[in-house]
Amino acid sequence: MRDVAVIGVGMQKWGEIWTKSLREIFVESALLAMDDAGIDKLEAMYVGSMSPGLFAAQEHIGSLLADYLGQAPIPATRVESACASGGLAFRMACMDVASGMHDIVLAGGVEKMTDISGGEATFALSTASDMKWEGTCGVTFPGLYAMMAVAHMEKFGTTREQLAQVAVKNHANGSLNARAQFPTKITAEQVINSVKVADPLNILDCSPITDGAAAVIVVPADMVKNFQQPGVKVTGTGHATDTIALHDRDDLTVIDSARLAGEQAYKMAGKTPQDIDLCEVHDCFTIAEIMVTEALGFCELGGGGPAVAAGHTALGGKIPVNTSGGLKSKGHPVGATGVGQVIEVVEQLRGQSGQRQVKDAKVGMTQNMGGSGGSSVVHILEVM
Amino acid sequence: MPSARSWRAYPQTYRLEASRCSGCQKTFFPPRQVCNACSGREFETFRMGYGGTVVTHTVIRTPGDQFQGEAPFAVGIIAMDDGPKMTTQIVDVPLEEIRIGMKVKLEFRRMYAEGHDGVIEYGHKAVPLRE
Ligand SMILES: [Zn+2]
């Protein structure tokens, strides 16, 4: 297999974008990525999108977006793995280039979530759970993560305050990110006193509903000298699945798909958790970040709560997590989220992250997750 | 008319029909075609008992559209005495009294209205087991 690198990134500010359609927000971000790389022709593209059918009444978006990007008849593939669709689209693009099939491939993601009501969006998201055996009893996604939180608190003594600290940290990071949906600092008291959603999770423990798109350009690593931006090499990739019904798992306090995908990526890159300078993780809910930092080995099992409370995962800490603001502050347009994570890491490794720049960042990691952990995609990226 | 989607699950929904792998004895609810522990494809069907234990729980305060008006309500994962785990509502108990380790039994209750015709679906909910 060939080594692969990212040489272009593009995303606009995420949020409620009422004036633009799904295809418009995607094309804007794709063009930014192509301009960043200095290209106007692609050989193939992969687009992560969880449910354009339910959110925007449009399927078949691989072809639609290739056409509106002026790239038809190139092969264009929509990739779906719930909220991990974007990370998986990036992995598919890397595998395509690594295989030698194509040289210049776009990996993108898009979700247009605010054209329908909050209740309809909740339903669309819930289809990432086992609809027959979880959905029919009224459990929501916040409810599934709340049940993981209750089990984690019981087993490890994780506290309500520690959960809040994840949101406080990520909003502090997001306040330094012009593209974040909610670039506002919040306090632990605000999180703990915010509207209850599914005990112990409140509204400020949950990532928002977001419109957004993101795109990156992937090429063979030996071609990076042909482009204007410094290349960032993709040295590790991992992808693992698990039962999509939370109740079918033996241990509710570990997200095994994240652990296994992480192990694959570490092995491929020849790295350990101690080698990682920053990591973007899938903080769809505050408890998710705590459990994923454990699964990826940044602390021991049960150590995720104390780690965030001690500032180890903050900017300037031992392992800065979610320097972009994470899903919590930057927003969570589900299909685009995994690609947005890659963009944050690429910009950090290029040294282009301004006030939230991690000093001397050489190795970065992303972890994108579907459903309650039924899928995880992990990547390790390095400066060249 | 009930939908095909709901009636074809009647054996599980109404009779708690589960299966036990003939190779390794692992139990499944609902029944599966392939055992995820030993890859076995032979199973015997059995009717699950009603008893179980709460392994985790939450209170849903912001529900999806189908459950508007019913919140707050409790949901939990129940480890059934016969092996499988399942997600159910936990009812007939004050929300703040639900604990991990609490013994429950399943009872047959109204679940929600299915589809545009509003056919009422029934299923199992957990209630505390009183000594
Ligand atoms: Zn078996």
Side-chain angles (χ1 to χ4, degrees):
Chain A
M1 285 201 299
R2 301 192 291 182
D3 286 340
V4 172
V6 177
I7 44 86
V9 299
M11 76 177 261
Q12 300 272 38
K13 182 179 167 72
W14 289 352
E16 288 191 38
I17 308 171
W18 291 334
T19 56
K20 289 175 190 162
S21 65
L22 182 150
R23 69 189 78 178
E24 288 171 315
I25 60 175
F26 175 82
V27 169
E28 278 182 354
S29 290
L31 289 177
L32 282 176
M34 291 166 70
D35 289 349
D36 190 43
I39 58 172
D40 57 15
K41 279 290 169 202
L42 303 171
E43 294 177 17
M45 57 188 263
Y46 294 83
V47 181
S49 194
M50 174 185 162
S51 192
L54 290 175
F55 286 119
Q58 179 69 63
E59 304 286 9
H60 205 180
I61 67 168
S63 299
L64 176 77
L65 299 178
D67 178 25
Y68 270 74
L69 190 56
Q71 302 296 322
I74 66 164
T77 307
R78 170 182 155 203
V79 178
E80 190 276 319
S81 189
C83 317
S85 300
L88 194 53
F90 179 68
R91 179 175 153 96
M92 295 297 110
C94 292
M95 287 166 63
D96 185 325
V97 173
S99 76
M101 184 76 84
H102 298 105
D103 286 339
I104 299 178
V105 177
L106 180 142
V110 63
E111 214 77 57
K112 187 84 181 81
M113 301 173 73
T114 69
D115 279 357
I116 56 176
S117 72
E120 290 170 319
T122 301
F123 171 80
L125 290 167
S126 73
T127 64
S129 69
D130 186 328
M131 288 299 278
K132 177 62 187 167
W133 299 108
E134 293 180 315
T136 50
C137 66
V139 70
T140 55
F141 257 98
L144 291 169
Y145 276 93
M147 290 200 291
M148 288 192 251
V150 168
H152 201 270
M153 291 164 120
E154 171 93 356
K155 181 166 179 183
F156 298 117
T158 304
T159 65
R160 175 56 271 200
E161 172 76 19
Q162 289 165 349
L163 296 175
Q165 289 301 335
V166 173
V168 170
K169 169 183 71 71
N170 291 351
H171 274 271
N173 293 348
S175 73
L176 307 174
N177 186 349
R179 291 171 302 197
Q181 181 176 10
F182 294 110
T184 34
K185 288 187 182 174
I186 56 173
T187 65
E189 290 68 34
Q190 285 174 308
V191 180
I192 290 166
N193 295 318
S194 62
V195 172
K196 290 170 185 283
V197 175
D199 300 354
L201 302 179
N202 298 342
I203 190 76
L204 288 179
D205 289 287
C206 307
S207 53
I209 284 174
T210 309
D211 301 327
V216 302
I217 309 295
V218 177
V219 301
D222 61 13
M223 278 176 59
V224 296
K225 57 186 178 302
N226 304 343
F227 300 93
Q228 58 199 21
Q229 288 280 6
V232 170
K233 199 164 161 183
V234 184
T235 56
T237 176
H239 178 202
T241 56
D242 199 350
T243 69
I244 76 168
L246 177 65
H247 59 235
D248 280 331
R249 299 186 202 149
D250 292 336
D251 188 346
L252 304 178
T253 65
V254 183
I255 299 178
D256 243 6
S257 64
R259 182 179 63 79
L260 293 167
E263 284 176 4
Q264 293 168 27
Y266 284 130
K267 188 176 175 204
M268 187 171 169
K271 298 288 180 200
T272 69
Q274 289 70 40
D275 298 321
I276 306 298
D277 296 320
L278 73 143
C279 187
E280 290 285 295
V281 308
H282 196 92
D283 60 322
C284 49
F285 301 95
T286 49
I287 182 63
E289 176 168 317
I290 287 175
M291 293 176 73
V292 171
T293 53
E294 296 170 7
L296 295 178
F298 297 130
C299 52
E300 71 280 4
L301 293 180
V308 66
H312 295 329
T313 53
L315 268 173
K318 277 196 268 187
I319 168 70
V321 170
N322 284 328
T323 55
S324 69
L327 285 55
K328 186 69 202 70
S329 165
K330 188 172 59 176
H332 184 26
V334 284
T337 287
V339 180
Q341 293 177 322
V342 172
I343 292 176
E344 175 68 11
V345 169
V346 167
E347 290 181 343
Q348 285 279 358
L349 298 182
R350 287 176 177 177
Q352 298 172 344
S353 295
Q355 282 182 283
R356 61 181 198 285
Q357 180 66 46
V358 174
K359 225 174 121 208
D360 299 324
K362 299 280 192 295
V363 185
M365 190 176 206
T366 61
Q367 181 268 343
N368 189 199
M369 187 151 66
S372 62
S375 56
S376 272
V377 183
V378 171
H379 285 95
I380 295 175
L381 297 100
E382 299 183 45
V383 295
M384 295 183 71
Chain B
M1 284 289 290
S3 66
R5 182 162 64 185
S6 60
W7 65 248
R8 67 175 172 253
Y10 280 177
Q12 292 88 50
T13 313
Y14 291 110
R15 297 193 294 276
L16 288 180
E17 210 170 272
S19 68
R20 179 179 291 107
C21 173
S22 306
C24 74
Q25 309 303 309
K26 183 169 176 179
T27 51
F28 295 94
F29 180 82
R32 293 185 177 208
Q33 291 144 295
V34 181
C35 175
N36 66 6
C38 77
S39 303
R41 298 183 196 178
E42 287 184 24
F43 296 87
E44 56 169 315
T45 301
F46 72 101
R47 190 173 172 152
M48 227 168 25
Y50 295 108
T53 306
V54 174
V55 295
T56 189
H57 58 92
T58 183
V59 176
I60 305 291
R61 298 183 186 272
T62 308
D65 277 354
Q66 246 176 345
F67 293 86
Q68 291 294 345
E70 294 181 34
F73 57 90
V75 168
I77 292 179
I78 313 299
M80 301 303 295
D81 295 341
D82 281 325
K85 293 201 288 289
M86 57 191 291
T87 304
T88 70
Q89 287 190 21
I90 304 172
V91 297
D92 295 356
V93 56
L95 297 174
E96 64 281 3
E97 287 181 18
I98 298 168
R99 293 282 180 275
I100 290 174
M102 193 170 88
K103 296 285 181 194
V104 294
K105 67 175 174 38
L106 299 187
E107 286 191 356
F108 203 60
R109 298 290 177 92
R110 176 191 186 279
M111 300 290 276
Y112 62 97
E114 144 98 12
H116 297 298
D117 299 341
V119 174
I120 303 300
E121 291 283 316
Y122 291 85
H124 288 90
K125 296 184 180 180
V127 301
L129 192 65
R130 308 200 196 276
E131 300 306 319

